[in-house]
Amino acid sequence: MDEKVSRKNLIKRIRNKYGRYWYRFKRNKLSIVGLGVLIALILMAILASLITPYPSNAGLYINLSQENLPPSLAHPFGTDMLGRDILTRIIFGLRYSFLLVGVVLSVTVIPGVVLGLIAGYYPKRWFSILIMRVADIFVAVPPLLLALSIASVLTPNITNAMFAVSLAWWPWYTRLVYTSTTSIRNEDFVRAAEVIGASPSHIMFSEIMPNLLGTILTKVSLDAGWVILIGAALSFVGLGAQEPTPDLGTMISEGAAYLPQVWWISIFPAIFIVIIILAFNLLGDGIKDMFSSSIR
Amino acid sequence: MSTFKFVGKSLAYSIISLIGLSVLVFVLARVLPGNPARAALGPNAPPEAVQALMQQLHLNEPLYIQYWYWISGIFTGNWGLSLYTHRNVLLDVEQFFPATLELIIMAGIIDLLLAIPLGLLAGKMENTYVDNIIRVLTYIGIAIPSFVVAIFLQLIFGYGLHLFPIIGELSPGVTPPPRITGLYVIDGLLTGEFNVVVDAIWHLILPSFSLALGPLAQEARILRSAVVENKNSDFTLSEISHGLPDSIITTKYLLKPSLIPMITIYALDISSIIANAFLIEFIFNWPGISRYGLNAMLSKDLNGIIAVVMIAGVLFVIANTLVDVIIGYLDPRSREEVSD
């Protein structure tokens, strides 16, 4: 009986905590818009084969009798040079955009954060100096350029594009976490944990890391837009996804050859890229608000 | 004094990073499958010719010896053979770099010229409709990739309104000025050919604005929040109570401290301008080093790729150093912090 009560209390407390975060998040109406748009787009991407009017047009499909049709009721965003419905290809293209974000952020954030924690907790040791010097090398050129040059020496496809963007991305997390960890590691609560004999891994992951969560999550949500942008840039120059993959960047670059008369091939995918990046930025601002007062 | 010490230290670190970067790109480029000599000569070349070219390019030697040849070549003017233009990469760089430099400088200038007034105006008129319009514009400016901006600008101002040229550095009938710096605007001014100057600037506007839009939107937002913060600070209130005119308070006392966070971001934004130049030169068919570099990337020309990446790294270091100096001038605290 006692146990049950305390458990109920615990759930209530957690609810209150999340309720507080949600309250801070929703104070900014634009963040709600960003979140809503993202949920809608992700649902569209998942259900692409059910909701698109011409699912077969997503891949290799040629119907030259329908080529370069302007927007109409049958084809709201028109058709491309091979007669494929652009709306269908955009919705399928969303899958690749979200896949890129998911893969890049999940393979960069964790190693980047762990390396930063280690380097920040042992700031004077040789391996920490090594980690930070290597990170410095990777940030010596702009991430877009680094991703371009890595992708260029590999075979151009979507997997290698993800690899290239990930390789350009991890050091930014390492540097962020390193800076925060070095400033936290001399606080009293870290000293106290050391005095009572807590293990370094406990101190790093259970004492220091919870304090950095807000900073990291804010960066993750703001970075998602950048990852989409860099992925689109790679496909745009031909170093990312290849035809017939319906990638938004690839579609823009294919359509660019048909400007200005057949403007719809490029412009609609471009508008969708802008909407996704904008939505991620709005979400990021909301997450920043959510953590800003609880971190200080 | 300590500004110099600080700048010197960060320069030394940057040089170490650049050397590391050269090793990284070199190793990445060399460990990949595929024979650059074979790629250069084509699939039908006789094996002896491939062997001879491999000998000439030192491709048979171990990796660290290849690196030694390459890095010593960098300092003696032999930057390796471009497999794409079939000549010394240094010659290519000399030919194509000025056009890119001109574009980046123009973008940097447009960036500051628009970001400062927009940010200042939004901050001064906080929560009015002016602030809201600027906020919406900056949100969109940040979210639009520069290559999308470029396509929109080409469609609207090039194809639609015929106000600006769509591609190239100069109009077809205009002869480039005698080459002094390679920057058409400066060469035109030096030789007094003002029609060339006007034509060159006219061609620069769309590509450099495409590069500047994202950075300027971000900077305007940062400047706005700094202005809002400093507007209510004690030093501003004391100036108001002393009866100083608003224009002097704004330009002299409010702007200077508010610029510090913006200028810090400016260094990163210059780096994004350098990177995005690769796409913008491609779209506007701009005869610069970035378009050359992109072609090198697409044809797997390793010497060209390494040269372009290293140049971008050096430009980034220069931008960072300049920003450190400017911040040292704007913020007396940064000088004190370093000294102890």
Side-chain angles (χ1 to χ4, degrees):
Chain A
M1 198 63 185
D2 258 11
E3 205 193 34
K4 224 175 180 178
V5 170
S6 66
R7 205 180 212 170
K8 239 182 192 166
N9 273 332
L10 194 67
I11 291 169
K12 213 173 160 190
R13 272 175 57 193
I14 290 171
R15 270 224 186 103
N16 279 340
K17 194 177 161 193
Y18 290 133
R20 203 164 63 223
Y21 283 135
W22 175 241
Y23 170 73
R24 288 210 195 103
F25 181 82
K26 72 175 180 188
R27 266 187 316 190
N28 188 344
K29 292 286 175 290
L30 285 173
S31 325
I32 302 278
V33 174
L35 184 67
V37 169
L38 279 179
I39 291 174
L41 289 175
I42 290 172
L43 281 178
M44 279 163 74
I46 293 172
L47 302 174
S49 42
L50 296 176
I51 57 168
T52 50
Y54 310 95
S56 65
N57 292 12
L60 193 60
Y61 172 93
I62 299 174
N63 181 359
L64 292 180
S65 66
Q66 301 277 308
E67 65 171 353
N68 295 343
L69 292 180
S72 63
L73 271 183
H75 301 282
F77 293 170
T79 63
D80 67 7
M81 52 283 163
L82 298 177
R84 297 174 296 193
D85 181 54
I86 292 181
L87 176 63
T88 303
R89 288 178 64 74
I90 287 177
I91 293 175
F92 275 95
L94 293 175
R95 288 185 171 179
Y96 294 96
S97 300
F98 288 120
L99 188 69
L100 179 78
V101 172
V103 170
V104 169
L105 289 179
S106 50
V107 302
T108 53
V109 173
I110 294 169
V113 167
V114 171
L115 288 173
L117 271 174
I118 294 173
Y121 188 67
Y122 300 105
K124 296 258 147 67
R125 304 282 283 274
W126 65 268
F127 48 84
S128 306
I129 293 167
L130 183 72
I131 291 172
M132 294 320 293
R133 282 287 87 81
V134 172
D136 282 348
I137 291 171
F138 279 83
V139 299
V141 276
L144 171 60
L145 177 55
L146 191 60
L148 278 174
S149 33
I150 295 171
S152 74
V153 292
L154 305 169
T155 318
N157 59 39
I158 212 159
T159 322
N160 284 338
M162 288 175 187
F163 174 73
V165 179
S166 307
L167 213 53
W169 219 259
W170 69 271
W172 298 91
Y173 285 93
T174 305
R175 282 164 60 111
L176 176 77
V177 171
Y178 170 80
T179 323
S180 320
T181 308
T182 43
S183 67
I184 290 181
R185 87 163 309 292
N186 292 322
E187 299 262 334
D188 286 345
F189 70 92
V190 178
R191 290 269 180 241
E194 282 173 343
V195 167
I196 61 170
S199 70
S201 67
H202 172 86
I203 295 174
M204 278 189 268
F205 294 104
S206 303
E207 304 286 343
I208 296 177
M209 195 154 93
N211 292 289
L212 308 179
L213 219 54
T215 322
I216 295 169
L217 279 180
T218 308
K219 184 162 172 56
V220 167
S221 55
L222 291 172
D223 274 358
W226 284 102
V227 170
I228 300 245
L229 201 153
I230 289 189
L234 284 180
S235 328
F236 180 75
V237 298
L239 293 171
Q242 301 291 315
E243 178 67 20
T245 310
D247 180 273
L248 298 179
T250 316
M251 292 169 75
I252 298 174
S253 105
E254 284 170 357
Y258 295 83
L259 291 174
Q261 285 80 20
V262 191
W263 50 270
W264 50 89
I265 305 180
S266 287
I267 296 305
F268 287 114
I271 290 173
F272 267 76
I273 288 186
V274 175
I275 292 174
I276 302 175
I277 299 176
L278 194 58
F280 270 121
N281 284 346
L282 295 176
L283 179 76
D285 283 351
I287 292 181
K288 194 161 73 188
D289 294 343
M290 199 159 97
F291 284 103
S292 57
S293 43
S294 67
I295 288 299
R296 296 265 161 97
Chain B
M1 196 58 212
S2 48
T3 308
F4 289 109
K5 219 163 135 189
F6 176 65
V7 169
K9 204 174 156 190
S10 66
L11 257 182
Y13 274 123
S14 308
I15 288 166
I16 298 172
S17 299
L18 283 180
I19 293 172
L21 180 70
S22 71
V23 176
L24 174 80
V25 181
F26 195 85
V27 170
L28 259 179
R30 286 294 194 276
V31 295
L32 286 160
N35 183 340
R38 167 64 72 192
L41 295 173
N44 299 325
E48 305 85 59
V50 175
Q51 267 309 321
L53 186 62
M54 282 182 74
Q55 200 76 40
Q56 193 195 336
L57 299 174
H58 307 293
L59 290 172
N60 295 324
E61 317 261 358
L63 206 59
Y64 61 93
I65 301 208
Q66 286 188 37
Y67 181 75
W68 175 249
Y69 274 118
W70 178 77
I71 194 97
S72 47
I74 288 292
F75 292 104
T76 53
N78 174 19
W79 286 26
L81 196 67
S82 161
L83 303 177
Y84 164 66
T85 57
H86 299 285
R87 57 178 192 172
N88 187 343
V89 171
L90 185 59
L91 289 175
D92 291 338
V93 171
E94 279 170 5
Q95 184 187 340
F96 295 119
F97 182 66
T100 298
L101 189 63
E102 200 166 25
L103 189 61
I104 291 173
I105 292 173
M106 186 72 173
I109 292 171
I110 292 183
D111 177 356
L112 284 184
L113 280 184
L114 291 175
I116 294 176
L118 282 177
L120 198 57
L121 196 64
K124 287 282 285 184
M125 307 188 69
E126 189 194 354
N127 293 332
T128 61
Y129 73 98
V130 177
D131 184 24
N132 285 331
I133 291 172
I134 294 175
R135 177 180 299 143
V136 171
L137 288 179
T138 53
Y139 259 126
I140 295 172
I142 291 171
I144 300 191
S146 63
F147 65 95
V148 172
V149 180
I151 289 175
F152 276 121
L153 290 181
Q154 277 189 336
L155 263 183
I156 299 169
F157 294 100
Y159 292 116
L161 302 172
H162 299 287
L163 281 177
F164 291 99
I166 294 151
I167 55 168
E169 217 185 348
L170 283 179
S171 301
V174 180
T175 18
R179 194 182 173 95
I180 303 168
T181 57
L183 281 70
Y184 284 174
V185 174
I186 293 181
D187 287 354
L189 284 174
L190 288 176
T191 54
E193 296 184 30
F194 295 109
N195 62 322
V196 177
V197 176
V198 172
D199 194 59
I201 292 179
W202 189 48
H203 278 76
L204 271 168
I205 287 183
L206 288 191
S208 49
F209 183 76
S210 319
L211 286 173
L213 181 64
L216 84 85
Q218 194 175 1
E219 285 154 24
R221 264 177 75 180
I222 288 166
L223 180 61
R224 177 199 173 271
S225 55
V227 168
V228 168
E229 206 174 291
N230 289 330
K231 195 165 70 170
N232 300 318
S233 66
D234 291 344
F235 67 85
T236 318
L237 292 180
S238 85
E239 283 143 16
I240 294 172
S241 63
H242 276 89
L244 281 178
D246 190 48
S247 58
I248 291 184
I249 295 178
T250 306
T251 52
K252 201 164 174 202
Y253 295 101
L254 190 55
L255 186 59
K256 201 174 148 186
S258 305
L259 278 177
I260 295 164
M262 190 193 111
I263 296 291
T264 316
I265 295 293
Y266 190 62
L268 276 177
D269 283 339
I270 290 289
S271 110
S272 93
I273 288 179
I274 293 170
N276 280 314
F278 280 75
L279 303 173
I280 297 304
E281 291 192 358
F282 172 68
I283 294 172
F284 286 95
N285 206 13
W286 192 261
I289 192 75
S290 304
R291 195 188 61 166
Y292 168 81
L294 193 62
N295 283 328
M297 285 173 182
L298 292 172
S299 57
K300 292 193 190 297
D301 173 12
L302 303 178
N303 285 329
I305 297 174
I306 299 181
V308 172
V309 171
M310 294 310 293
I311 288 170
V314 171
L315 281 180
F316 191 26
V317 168
I318 294 171
N320 266 323
T321 312
L322 281 178
V323 163
D324 284 344
V325 173
I326 294 170
I327 289 183
Y329 160 76
L330 286 175
D331 188 0
R333 284 170 304 180
S334 76
R335 284 173 295 209
E336 278 162 26
E337 267 168 34
V338 185
S339 60
D340 47 30

